[in-house]
Amino acid sequence: MTSNIKILKPSDPQGSDLLSQERARTTFDVKKLTLALYGSKELERLNRILEIVENDPVFDKSKIYYMGRNELFEHALKKDKRLVQLIKKHRWNVEETHIAELFLDLPGPFGLHRGMFIPTIFGQGTEEQKKKFLIPAIKYEIIGCYAQTELGHGSNVQGLETTATYIPETDEFEIHSPHLTASKWWIGGLGRTANHAVIMAQLKSNGKDFGPHPFIIQIRDMETHQPLSGITIGDVGPKFGYNATDNGFMLFDHVRIPRSNMLSKYSQIKEGTGEYISPPNDKLSYGTMVFVRAMIVTGVRVALARAATIAIRYSVVRRQFVDKDEPKKLEDGRIVETSILDYTMQQYRLFPVIAQAYACFYTSKAMVDSYLNYMKQSSGGDFSSLADLHASSSGLKSLATSMAVDSIEDCRRACGGHGYSSFSGFVTFYQNYLPNTTWEGDNYILTHQTARYLFKTFREVVSNKNPEAYSQSNTNPTITYILQFLNNPNQTCTATTPSDFKNHELQLRAFGHRAAYLIANAVDQIDNHKKSWNSMLIEVNRISRAHCQYILARNFITALQKSHHPNEDERLRVLHDSPELMEVMNSVCNLFVLNTMEKELGEFLECGYITSSQSKLIRSQVYDLLKEIRPNAVSLVDAFYIPDFMLKSALGRYDGKVYETMFDWASKEPLNEITLDVNPNSEVLFRNNDYKGKARL
């Protein structure tokens, strides 16, 4: 490389200056908005943990974009081992460990040990099983994984083929894979790492089948780390992403385990007789699923915030073309190219992603709050809120993760050619986020659960066979909008100007009316026209989407409503006490709601709530909201408080030094150290004597 590169700088204006100018235009206090999002205690934890991991040499990310799979896996294993040391040293709890993992941003071989193995034993194990397995797992004396998915079955858990047959003579279970398709597949941490596994297998006893149940099994020797007799294990090979994790396969050949290895908090097999004792409530596991899906939606808000941060900052620094109508000038009068964020099409692509991120902040908070309320109720035997909570969490997981995947890609494309570079921070980010649309329930399959609940609720309200439903209407938003629709199915929108659509009450009526209309139509098709479930699956997906968009809008709007409760959450109090924050967040909320309406315009027109002329008013108001948000765009993403250490992005750097970083990172590409022999008649590939032994054909 030539020596003058280090003294070159990008053409003016400099990226750092452009971002500084943007931040000076802000109409609100960025630190106050960050406080309103996280709260003081959470911010203290974020800063404390970031300082630890960012300054630990084991977590250095400077070479990560140049690593092949073996190097990447080795780096991830070192990272995970070091993380365990820090967990013990600083006595981090589950939340603090999750924050550290978020900053490290590298799915590793211990991920499923923390994410599924430990929680499953904790949630479904007896006290004796916790002593035997949970305590050593927490101490990392054993490393586990969670083996449910098989080569032939994923979403259809009832169709799993691995069997666990009770043998009364020896008081054991025999674990067996009767077919190739019974092989456990895609199991994180299984390929090379785990020595124990929680496996889901079909329970068989006394000639009867009792469906899938969880069992703990040791799968590798604790000294040699080789697979135990009768167990075949391996890595599934290269993947679209997640290549720092050893997703594995596993087959069993009549492997025996003690009866006590069946997780038995809720259901058991009696010693000797093989009698099956069923759980007291077949929906007890739903609570755990609700929590997991709440955590996934929390992850969505981070993913959206991260994508928007990179794209917005880069769009300020990136300049293309001269706007002839409104040319940009430097202080000395020179005309320069326009920042691409000043083009309305770029705003239309990116500002809704900011709005989606904020919407998911408030919905994830609402989901966690609802889960905690349910746990209090269920401890007293009250499971009345579980059905609505489970159905809504299923649909929200589906909607939110699909929205995130689409928006990450939209943000990457909005960065043009440089968005294709790994240095953009989008490539591995997108690859590693993508599985969220499949695990913990395929996004299309999950909508079935949401729609079934909505159909059942609609029928109950219509038939008045469940009087309790009406008493719940004040707290159950689903029943609320169904009742409103049934009381006035021909209700229409009263808006006559674009600004009328900024009315939150009008917005919620629109979303509720649309969802209820779709539900009513589907129930009519199924009940009166005898349509098959399969023929209605497209409608099922639309209905779940409509219901969950209503929830997202409702949670965002509710968060902006001032509360006079003395114990109001600190985050909401900070928001409500600041007129400047309330003004900008109302703009963001309105953009989320109206942009969603604009995208789903066909359904709002179909249900008759709005007219074609009103649809033009919605579009006009969306354009006005882009203008409102433009001065605050950079500060709105700054408030997400995502550090450069996590972004790993040349384009999204806080200081705006995009081009300097792109060139610096490119200069470190190992390929640049190779000198080739390009003579087709020569067997030598590389002229460097020190590169792979002067490789030859």
Side-chain angles (χ1 to χ4, degrees):
M1 300 250 177
T2 55
S3 58
N4 71 325
I5 288 176
K6 291 184 178 180
I7 63 172
L8 288 176
K9 67 176 186 177
S11 58
D12 287 330
Q14 298 300 300
S16 55
D17 294 335
L18 289 168
L19 282 177
S20 294
Q21 291 166 14
E22 289 286 333
R23 289 169 179 137
R25 300 170 61 188
T26 305
T27 64
F28 63 91
D29 186 332
V30 178
K31 291 183 179 179
K32 192 175 288 186
L33 180 53
T34 301
L35 182 62
L37 291 175
Y38 298 101
S40 55
K41 289 183 180 179
E42 184 72 0
L43 279 175
E44 185 279 324
R45 287 202 300 187
L46 290 170
N47 289 324
R48 170 167 47 84
I49 294 169
L50 178 61
E51 184 177 4
I52 293 169
V53 298
E54 192 174 21
N55 293 299
D56 193 309
V58 175
F59 302 140
D60 174 42
K61 300 181 181 182
S62 62
K63 298 179 181 178
I64 204 163
Y65 286 137
Y66 316 107
M67 293 180 180
R69 191 183 179 204
N70 286 352
E71 290 177 291
L72 192 62
F73 183 73
E74 180 182 347
H75 176 72
L77 183 58
K78 287 179 183 177
K79 181 266 294 182
D80 273 2
K81 286 190 171 188
R82 178 58 179 153
L83 180 56
V84 172
Q85 295 168 8
L86 292 177
I87 291 169
K88 294 179 178 179
K89 177 181 177 181
H90 298 288
R91 298 186 178 184
W92 286 340
N93 59 25
V94 174
E95 291 80 11
E96 289 168 324
T97 301
H98 177 70
I99 290 170
E101 289 182 296
L102 202 65
F103 286 144
L104 296 176
D105 188 42
L106 183 65
F110 289 3
L112 265 287
H113 174 77
R114 283 187 291 271
M116 287 299 295
F117 185 70
I118 288 176
T120 302
I121 300 172
F122 179 82
Q124 300 189 49
T126 64
E127 291 305 313
E128 288 184 4
Q129 290 171 329
K130 290 177 184 178
K131 290 177 183 176
K132 184 176 180 180
F133 298 109
L134 182 61
I135 292 175
I138 291 172
K139 293 179 178 179
Y140 291 85
E141 293 169 356
I142 63 174
I143 303 296
C145 61
Y146 180 80
Q148 176 170 293
T149 301
E150 295 177 352
L151 184 60
H153 285 88
S155 297
N156 182 16
V157 178
Q158 295 300 318
L160 294 177
E161 298 174 22
T162 303
T163 59
T165 306
Y166 180 63
I167 312 297
E169 292 79 8
T170 58
D171 196 30
E172 294 176 308
F173 287 107
E174 184 175 87
I175 311 298
H176 184 58
S177 307
H179 311 288
L180 182 67
T181 44
S183 173
K184 295 300 179 184
W185 203 270
W186 289 118
I187 313 305
L190 171 62
R192 310 307 301 163
T193 306
N195 48 45
H196 283 70
V198 169
I199 68 160
M200 291 296 289
Q202 298 286 358
L203 174 61
K204 297 176 180 291
S205 182
N206 294 330
K208 296 180 180 179
D209 296 338
F210 296 99
H213 284 69
F215 301 82
I216 296 184
I217 181 168
Q218 182 180 336
I219 58 176
R220 284 186 169 96
D221 186 276
M222 297 301 290
E223 296 296 327
T224 66
H225 201 61
Q226 294 301 308
L228 296 180
S229 177
I231 303 177
T232 302
I233 308 176
D235 186 276
V236 300
K239 307 175 289 285
F240 188 89
Y242 250 73
N243 284 305
T245 297
D246 52 326
N247 294 82
F249 63 81
M250 180 163 56
L251 284 160
F252 299 96
D253 185 7
H254 301 283
V255 176
R256 297 287 185 93
I257 62 172
R259 179 181 55 84
S260 58
N261 280 32
M262 172 181 162
L263 290 179
S264 304
K265 182 177 181 179
Y266 299 123
S267 56
Q268 301 92 33
I269 288 290
K270 279 191 175 181
E271 180 180 356
T273 66
E275 179 187 350
Y276 178 69
I277 302 174
S278 58
N281 186 324
D282 60 359
K283 293 181 173 61
L284 283 171
S285 62
Y286 282 17
T288 301
M289 285 189 277
V290 167
F291 177 75
V292 170
R293 287 164 187 165
M295 292 300 98
I296 290 175
V297 176
T298 300
V300 167
R301 76 182 194 185
V302 177
L304 289 167
R306 181 176 174 179
T309 298
I310 295 172
I312 291 292
R313 288 176 181 169
Y314 176 65
S315 294
V316 169
V317 176
R318 184 69 168 180
R319 294 173 287 113
Q320 295 289 287
F321 308 108
V322 172
D323 186 338
K324 295 180 180 179
D325 298 321
E326 299 179 27
K328 305 296 180 182
K329 296 181 180 180
L330 297 179
E331 291 181 356
D332 61 8
R334 282 182 294 159
I335 294 177
V336 294
E337 292 177 282
T338 301
S339 290
I340 61 175
L341 195 61
D342 285 326
Y343 293 112
T344 53
M345 191 63 222
Q346 190 77 346
Q347 296 169 18
Y348 188 71
R349 296 168 78 182
L350 296 180
F351 290 0
V353 182
I354 299 176
Q356 290 170 1
Y358 278 98
C360 286
F361 260 88
Y362 292 112
T363 283
S364 65
K365 179 184 181 301
M367 288 180 74
V368 172
D369 290 345
S370 296
Y371 171 76
L372 294 176
N373 288 333
Y374 160 72
M375 292 302 291
K376 289 180 183 178
Q377 294 171 354
S378 63
S379 64
D382 180 3
F383 300 96
S384 60
S385 64
L386 180 57
D388 188 84
L389 193 56
H390 176 253
S392 295
S393 68
S394 298
L396 281 167
K397 183 271 179 184
S398 171
L399 172 65
T401 55
S402 294
M403 184 169 67
V405 164
D406 291 343
S407 292
I408 293 168
E409 174 62 6
D410 287 343
C411 287
R412 186 197 67 78
R413 291 185 181 185
C415 292
H418 290 330
Y420 195 68
S421 169
S422 288
F423 302 155
S424 69
F426 279 115
V427 179
T428 54
F429 167 34
Y430 178 78
Q431 291 170 328
N432 291 342
Y433 187 80
L434 196 57
N436 280 275
T437 61
T438 303
W439 64 32
E440 291 302 321
D442 174 84
N443 278 5
Y444 286 96
I445 301 298
L446 282 179
T447 63
H448 298 197
Q449 299 176 20
T450 308
R452 282 194 175 98
Y453 164 76
L454 294 172
F455 295 163
K456 179 183 177 183
T457 302
F458 185 86
R459 292 184 184 109
E460 288 178 348
V461 173
V462 169
S463 63
N464 196 18
K465 287 181 181 178
N466 185 0
E468 282 189 34
Y470 295 93
S471 65
Q472 294 174 1
S473 62
N474 289 329
T475 58
N476 187 323
T478 305
I479 293 176
T480 299
Y481 74 65
I482 288 175
L483 282 171
Q484 288 176 345
F485 173 80
L486 291 173
N487 289 333
N488 190 359
N490 298 316
Q491 185 179 22
T492 57
C493 179
T494 57
T496 57
T497 66
S499 62
D500 287 343
F501 279 100
K502 295 169 78 171
N503 181 288
H504 292 325
E505 186 177 341
L506 181 151
Q507 293 167 355
L508 286 181
R509 281 202 302 269
F511 275 80
H513 191 89
R514 164 216 182 192
Y517 167 84
L518 292 173
I519 296 167
N521 183 64
V523 169
D524 177 60
Q525 291 295 311
I526 294 170
D527 293 355
N528 300 325
H529 299 275
K530 308 305 178 186
K531 289 288 187 73
S532 69
W533 183 258
N534 184 46
S535 70
M536 295 297 293
L537 289 182
I538 298 171
E539 294 304 306
V540 161
N541 186 67
R542 292 173 64 197
I543 288 164
S544 177
R545 183 179 181 86
H547 172 71
C548 292
Q549 286 174 340
Y550 168 83
I551 293 174
L552 282 169
R554 183 177 183 272
N555 288 334
F556 203 159
I557 290 168
T558 300
L560 296 180
Q561 293 173 346
K562 291 188 177 183
S563 168
H564 300 290
H565 196 284
N567 296 322
E568 183 182 30
D569 183 283
E570 176 202 15
R571 293 167 292 180
L572 293 178
R573 187 171 64 252
V574 171
L575 174 63
H576 297 158
D577 288 348
S578 170
E580 294 81 14
L581 288 187
M582 286 294 290
E583 182 179 0
V584 71
M585 291 310 294
N586 266 297
S587 295
V588 173
C589 179
N590 285 326
L591 179 62
F592 172 76
V593 172
L594 298 182
N595 179 252
T596 302
M597 287 185 71
E598 186 186 14
K599 287 180 177 178
E600 309 290 351
L601 207 49
E603 291 177 6
F604 285 98
L605 289 168
E606 178 188 339
C607 74
Y609 188 77
I610 66 169
T611 64
S612 59
S613 60
Q614 287 173 328
S615 70
K616 296 176 183 177
L617 300 180
I618 293 173
R619 186 171 293 117
S620 175
Q621 185 56 57
V622 167
Y623 297 164
D624 288 344
L625 287 166
L626 298 180
K627 295 176 185 176
E628 286 182 24
I629 291 171
R630 174 63 188 92
N632 291 311
V634 169
S635 293
L636 281 168
V637 299
D638 284 351
F640 292 139
Y641 206 60
I642 300 178
D644 287 350
F645 178 74
M646 180 178 168
L647 289 177
K648 299 196 304 270
S649 171
L651 307 188
R653 291 175 60 99
Y654 184 86
D655 63 9
K657 294 184 177 180
V658 171
Y659 300 118
E660 301 94 319
T661 306
M662 285 287 287
F663 210 101
D664 177 54
W665 290 1
S667 68
K668 295 173 181 175
E669 164 59 54
L671 195 64
N672 290 324
E673 302 301 318
I674 301 172
T675 303
L676 305 183
D677 185 328
V678 297
N679 183 351
N681 298 315
S682 170
E683 292 185 353
V684 175
L685 300 178
F686 308 134
R687 293 177 180 270
N688 312 47
N689 289 325
D690 58 343
Y691 189 83
K692 291 186 179 179
K694 203 171 185 178
R696 294 173 177 270
L697 289 173

